[in-house]
């Protein structure tokens, strides 16, 4: 439920008569006109204009700590797969070929390196090939909504009650059907025939059509206590890779695991552990989606990655088009653009202000030193 | 190690008698004390463990730790064989009925009715036993006092 807040008392012709429907959260936030006594009882005193006993105009989300754009009912998939957002995320990932092709302890057999003499053209071709391969390796796991897990009841036969003490799970193993489309139904002991829920589907698909690396029961490391141990050992990439293998991206468990890792990484500011891996895009998207990009911006400023900070803020504006700073467009001055975000939408304004100040001081000091060196060399 | 059959589990695809009656039935391929059934299409005169024409599913009647019996059915091929005049054994027809593919088999209804009767009788017996125990207790209490 949105936090409904009072915006202004205005006399408006009342057109909303009945129930409070679900609101579209696009465009202007002028929301809804409520007729007398048609709203929540606990807010009615607030919402009614007592002097005139008329309807009031509501603006929602104004004092909300979390914008409604990140509510659970909004699907991140269309935004995530938007081409501009994908480009932003890919640029933010900062592909470093050395890191992409580093040796990983994943049980793969190590091959001895091959040294070759190459012409410049050959070298360029080889590099391009490596870059294309890196693109494949860095394909981001999709960010989609959690699956709606209400089983669909197909038939309810009371005469079949107690036909068995166990459930019957029927899986259609017809050749050439994808795991998503496959018919899986369950006959319960009380005679109800229903479609299988997500956990049952996951299990049946893995039993009859096993995927390599995935297990029928999720490994214990995804349980809270073991997960914290792994996080303390900074094995972020390992957890996220395994979660990609074990769960579907719309699985509530996948959401829980990734959100735990992302929030831990965000709190510890260990963004560099995930940079140049396939998980940095979803991490940045998640933080922007939750409106919690201050730590990442802080890290960007502290490591002189102003261009990254700008991209991140642009991503934030794409996801939250109603943010106050969204009206400021980037016009070449990075610090000004970041400052406008910090002034309007930041949760952690003081720290970011300080970081920007110290960055400016550092830049000035660097300039001075450079000039001093030039003067000492007599090049002026 | 259980004794494994010599033919492929998916079936041989060989129809030895073209005009013979085909039947879709359960063939037990588990080992001792661990039944596991293949749902196979074969000529009805053949032995159950003979090489089948085709395997169209499996049935694991042993309940797993989540209280489930797992059935897999290749509905496309089952439709094909039914269209070609294949008969159905009763257990397979019951499974297909429970899965919602066929109407519920009468034997499923009979089984359910009998199970309910048995459960009711058991509940009534338990209630009667409890009542007699209660009355006996009251009698002894009355004697003591």
């Amino acid at each position: 439920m949105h936090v409904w807040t009072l915006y202004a008392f205005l006399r408006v012709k009342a057109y909303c008569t009945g129930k409070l429907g679900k609101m579209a959260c696009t465009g202007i936030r002028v929301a809804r006109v409520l007729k007398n006594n048609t709203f929540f009882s606990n807010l009615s005193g607030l919402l009614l204009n007592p002097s005139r006993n008329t309807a009031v105009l509501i603006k929602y989300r104004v004092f909300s700590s979390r914008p409604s754009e990140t509510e659970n009912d909004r699907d991140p998939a269309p935004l995530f797969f938007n081409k501009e957002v994908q480009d932003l995320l890919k640029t933010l990932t900062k592909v470093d070929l050395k890191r992409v092709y580093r040796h990983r302890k994943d049980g793969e057999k190590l091959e001895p390196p091959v040294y070759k003499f190459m012409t410049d053209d050959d070298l360029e071709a080889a590099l391009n090939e490596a870059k294309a391969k890196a693109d494949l390796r860095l394909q981001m796991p999709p960010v989609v909504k959690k699956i709606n897990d209400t089983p669909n009841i197909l038939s309810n036969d009371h005469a079949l009650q107690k036909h068995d003490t166990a459930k019957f799970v029927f899986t259609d193993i017809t050749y050439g059907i994808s795991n998503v489309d496959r018919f899986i139904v369950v006959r319960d002991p009380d005679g109800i025939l229903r479609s299988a829920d997500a956990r049952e589907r996951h299990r049946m698909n893995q039993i009859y059509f096993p995927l390599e690396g995935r297990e029928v029961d999720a490994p214990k490391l995804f349980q809270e206590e073991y997960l914290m141990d792994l996080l303390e050992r900074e094995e972020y990439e390992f957890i996220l890779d395994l979660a990609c293998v074990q769960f579907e991206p719309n699985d509530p468990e996948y959401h829980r695991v990734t959100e735990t890792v992302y929030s831990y990484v965000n709190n510890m500011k260990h963004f560099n552990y995930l940079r140049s891996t396939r998980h940095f895009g979803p991490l940045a998207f998640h933080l922007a989606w939750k409106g919690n990009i201050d730590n990442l911006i802080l890290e960007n400023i502290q490591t002189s990655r102003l261009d990254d900070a700008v991209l991140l803020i642009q991503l934030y504006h794409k996801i939250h088009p109603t943010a106050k700073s969204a009206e400021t467009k980037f016009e070449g001055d990075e610090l000004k653009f970041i400052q406008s975000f910090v002034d309007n939408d930041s949760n952690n304004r003081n720290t970011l202000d300080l970081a920007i100040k110290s960055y400016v001081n550092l830049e000035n000091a660097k300039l001075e030193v450079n000039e001093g060196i030039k003067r000492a060399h007599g090049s002026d | 190690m259980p004794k494994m059959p010599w033919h492929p589990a998916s079936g041989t695809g060989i129809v030895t008698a073209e005009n013979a009656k085909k039947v879709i039935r359960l063939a037990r391929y588990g080992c001792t004390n661990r039944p596991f059934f293949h749902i196979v299409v074969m000529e009805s005169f053949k032995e159950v463990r003979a090489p089948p024409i085709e395997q169209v599913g499996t049935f694991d009647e042993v309940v797993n730790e989540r209280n489930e019996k797992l059935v897999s059915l290749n509905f496309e091929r089952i439709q094909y064989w039914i269209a070609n005049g294949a008969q159905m054994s009763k257990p397979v027809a019951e499974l297909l009925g429970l899965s919602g593919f066929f109407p519920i088999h009468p034997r499923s209804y009979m089984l359910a009715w009998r199970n309910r009767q048995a459960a009711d009788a058991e509940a009534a017996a338990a209630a009667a036993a409890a009542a007699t125990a209660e009355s006996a207790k009251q009698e002894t209490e009355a004697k003591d006092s």
Side-chain angles (χ1 to χ4, degrees):
Chain A
M1 180 56 64
H2 302 303
V3 176
W4 292 73
T5 47
L6 182 64
Y7 181 53
F9 289 114
L10 283 176
R11 292 190 71 174
V12 193
K13 192 181 173 191
Y15 60 82
C16 169
T17 50
K19 299 162 197 166
L20 287 167
K22 209 175 184 183
M23 278 195 36
C25 44
T26 51
I28 311 164
R29 282 168 287 173
V30 173
R32 180 168 289 250
V33 179
L34 298 169
K35 216 180 173 183
N36 304 348
N37 305 324
T38 54
F39 24 73
F40 311 116
S41 56
N42 59 341
L43 288 176
S44 58
L46 232 188
L47 295 170
L48 262 183
N49 185 341
S51 60
R52 293 167 183 155
N53 198 25
T54 48
V56 293
L57 187 68
I58 308 297
K59 184 179 180 184
Y60 64 100
R61 278 196 267 130
V62 172
F63 304 118
S64 166
S65 59
R66 202 174 62 161
S68 91
E69 281 140 323
T70 57
E71 285 284 327
N72 285 337
D73 53 354
R74 193 179 170 210
D75 188 5
L79 260 173
F80 181 77
F81 291 113
N82 181 318
K83 184 156 187 310
E84 289 171 21
V85 172
Q86 282 283 314
D87 287 346
L88 279 177
L89 294 176
K90 270 180 197 160
T91 324
L92 273 172
T93 304
K94 293 278 165 199
V95 184
D96 173 12
L97 287 183
K98 270 190 185 162
R99 187 159 156 72
V100 175
Y101 289 110
R102 76 196 181 284
H103 288 311
R104 301 188 57 186
K105 295 171 195 159
D106 55 3
E108 214 172 287
K109 203 179 171 190
L110 296 180
E111 297 286 334
V114 181
Y115 295 94
K116 280 183 191 170
F117 283 110
M118 281 181 164
T119 62
D120 284 353
D121 291 345
D122 286 347
L123 184 62
E124 204 186 326
L127 268 178
N128 283 339
E129 199 183 317
K131 275 176 194 161
K133 228 168 142 188
D135 258 5
L136 279 182
R137 281 201 183 194
L138 292 181
Q139 205 178 30
M140 287 179 270
V143 178
V144 293
K145 208 175 151 184
K146 284 179 202 170
I147 194 167
N148 178 23
D149 198 14
T150 44
N152 179 21
I153 290 178
L154 305 168
S155 134
N156 191 355
D157 199 338
H158 294 295
L160 271 181
Q161 275 176 12
K162 295 195 175 150
H163 69 98
D164 205 304
T165 51
K167 289 186 274 185
F168 279 82
V169 184
F170 297 95
T171 311
D172 182 9
I173 55 163
T174 300
Y175 182 75
I177 295 179
S178 80
N179 281 5
V180 182
D181 300 330
R182 178 164 294 116
F183 270 116
I184 301 176
V185 294
V186 180
R187 178 73 76 171
D188 284 329
D190 55 3
I192 291 177
L193 182 68
R194 60 175 172 83
S195 58
D197 65 29
R199 307 301 316 149
E200 286 166 336
R201 287 192 69 87
H202 183 273
R203 218 141 33 76
M204 291 307 122
N205 280 328
Q206 181 57 19
I207 284 173
Y208 291 111
F209 302 91
L211 293 177
E212 203 187 331
R214 182 177 282 191
E215 288 176 31
V216 174
D217 296 311
K220 276 195 175 174
L221 68 89
F222 291 122
Q223 290 170 15
E224 206 65 57
E225 64 263 41
Y226 305 109
L227 193 62
M228 281 321 288
D229 182 42
L230 272 177
L231 287 174
E232 276 156 21
R233 278 148 50 189
E234 295 161 0
E235 301 275 10
Y236 312 125
E237 210 190 342
F238 172 74
I239 303 171
L240 291 172
D241 277 341
L242 200 63
C244 281
V245 175
Q246 178 63 34
F247 304 116
E248 291 297 319
N250 57 7
D251 193 325
E253 272 294 284
Y254 179 77
H255 282 244
R256 180 185 66 79
V257 170
T258 51
E259 275 170 25
T260 313
V261 177
Y262 294 156
S263 69
Y264 191 89
V265 168
N266 186 35
N267 290 339
M268 305 297 285
K269 299 199 190 74
H270 283 170
F271 302 106
N272 236 356
Y273 285 72
L274 291 181
R275 215 166 248 129
S276 195
T277 72
R278 59 204 287 240
H279 304 293
F280 193 81
L283 166 71
F285 188 85
H286 173 81
L287 295 178
W289 181 261
K290 293 279 176 201
N292 188 15
I293 53 173
D294 300 63
N295 276 353
L296 188 45
I297 289 182
L298 183 64
E299 193 247 23
N300 281 335
I301 296 172
Q302 282 168 348
T303 51
S304 307
R305 291 189 173 99
L306 288 195
D307 47 343
D308 275 14
V310 168
L311 289 176
L312 192 63
I313 293 169
Q314 283 173 339
L315 175 68
Y316 179 83
H317 291 162
K318 281 239 173 320
I319 296 174
H320 304 276
T322 51
K324 276 188 210 155
S325 60
E327 288 146 22
T328 339
K329 294 280 172 276
F330 178 57
E331 288 155 345
D333 189 352
E334 287 149 343
L335 276 178
K336 197 179 152 196
F337 187 65
I338 297 171
Q339 191 67 50
S340 99
F341 170 81
V342 171
D343 290 343
N344 292 314
D345 290 316
S346 169
N347 303 329
N348 199 359
R349 191 173 161 180
N350 293 340
T351 323
L352 281 175
D353 270 337
L354 278 179
I356 292 175
K357 259 178 212 159
S358 65
Y359 173 81
V360 172
N361 287 343
L362 189 71
E363 286 300 299
N364 288 341
K366 269 186 197 167
L367 264 181
E368 260 176 42
V369 169
N370 277 343
E371 277 171 12
I373 290 172
K374 270 183 193 169
R375 239 177 287 133
H377 283 290
S379 56
D380 253 355
Chain B
M1 186 73 184
K3 190 184 165 199
M4 302 301 285
W6 290 105
H7 59 264
S10 58
T12 57
I14 300 167
V15 182
T16 46
E18 201 63 56
N19 296 325
K21 194 169 88 179
K22 314 283 189 308
V23 66
I24 304 178
R25 66 185 177 197
L26 298 178
R28 190 191 194 278
Y29 278 99
C31 49
T32 314
N33 296 327
R34 205 312 176 190
F36 184 87
F37 297 96
H38 290 190
I39 299 171
V40 292
V41 181
M42 55 167 59
E43 292 93 343
S44 64
F45 66 83
K46 280 196 176 164
E47 268 182 60
V48 172
R49 288 286 292 259
I53 301 172
E54 186 175 339
Q55 185 194 357
V56 290
T58 59
F59 171 43
D60 186 359
E61 69 156 24
V62 179
V63 176
N64 67 11
E65 74 272 21
R66 291 181 177 82
N67 195 29
E68 288 167 344
K69 295 182 178 180
L70 304 188
V71 189
S72 69
L73 295 160
N74 188 339
F75 286 112
E76 192 191 12
R77 296 305 292 168
I78 288 174
Q79 282 177 59
Y80 168 82
W81 282 110
I82 291 172
N84 275 283
Q87 301 293 306
M88 194 88 40
S89 75
K90 271 182 193 166
V92 172
E94 275 176 69
L95 284 179
L96 287 175
L98 288 178
S99 76
F101 185 71
F102 273 1
I104 302 286
H105 197 276
R107 280 205 344 180
S108 301
Y109 284 133
M110 277 163 58
L111 187 67
W113 186 80
R114 281 175 190 161
N115 287 346
R116 286 200 299 273
Q117 292 284 310
D120 289 350
E122 203 174 300
T132 51
E134 185 70 22
S135 62
K137 198 180 169 189
Q138 277 174 4
E139 268 175 31
T140 51
E141 274 173 12
K143 268 183 194 170
D144 289 344
S145 62

